[in-house]
Amino acid sequence: MKYNYYKTDGTKEIIETKKPMSLDLLQHLVGGSIELVRLKNGNELFVNEEGAIKSLPRNPHFTQEDVSVDLSHMGNRLLGNIIEGRTDGEGEFIGID
């Protein structure tokens, strides 16, 4: 399974796993508790739920126009490192491939 990993420094990496990402790995990659944000293209992002509280830097890869939810509680921007993928019918975060 492949996931896009978007960092606040403007870089993007592909992370490959043999099975869906675990909660622990998702939390490690975003640096804390996770929050799901849906993109208009159907993919999903996991972001740090406390990005604003922790004063995490803005992630330059996405804007309010890319997502299907209101980001006002995040200052209308996504903060911190972000993982992109999709969930299957059972709720597993299975990647983008």
Side-chain angles (χ1 to χ4, degrees):
M1 295 172 192
K2 292 182 183 177
Y3 303 87
N4 290 325
Y5 183 41
Y6 299 96
K7 296 183 179 182
T8 57
D9 65 5
T11 60
K12 173 185 159 188
E13 295 178 14
I14 303 292
I15 296 176
E16 294 190 49
T17 63
K18 292 185 188 250
K19 56 185 181 177
M21 277 196 182
S22 67
L23 175 61
D24 287 340
L25 180 55
L26 286 167
Q27 290 176 326
H28 172 74
L29 292 170
V30 303
S33 298
I34 58 171
E35 180 174 350
L36 180 96
V37 175
R38 295 191 194 284
L39 291 173
K40 289 179 180 175
N41 70 7
N43 286 354
E44 297 158 324
L45 305 175
F46 277 105
V47 302
N48 188 309
E49 182 177 51
E50 299 176 328
I53 294 168
K54 293 181 175 183
S55 298
L56 294 178
R58 183 182 77 79
N59 192 300
H61 295 278
F62 299 98
T63 66
Q64 176 66 64
E65 290 76 34
D66 299 313
V67 301
S68 60
V69 295
D70 179 27
L71 296 178
S72 60
H73 68 290
M74 295 181 193
N76 294 319
R77 61 197 188 284
L78 294 172
L79 306 171
N81 294 333
I82 296 171
I83 303 294
E84 178 185 18
R86 288 183 178 264
T87 50
D88 65 12
E90 297 175 13
E92 295 284 345
F93 193 52
I94 58 169
I96 55 172
D97 56 353

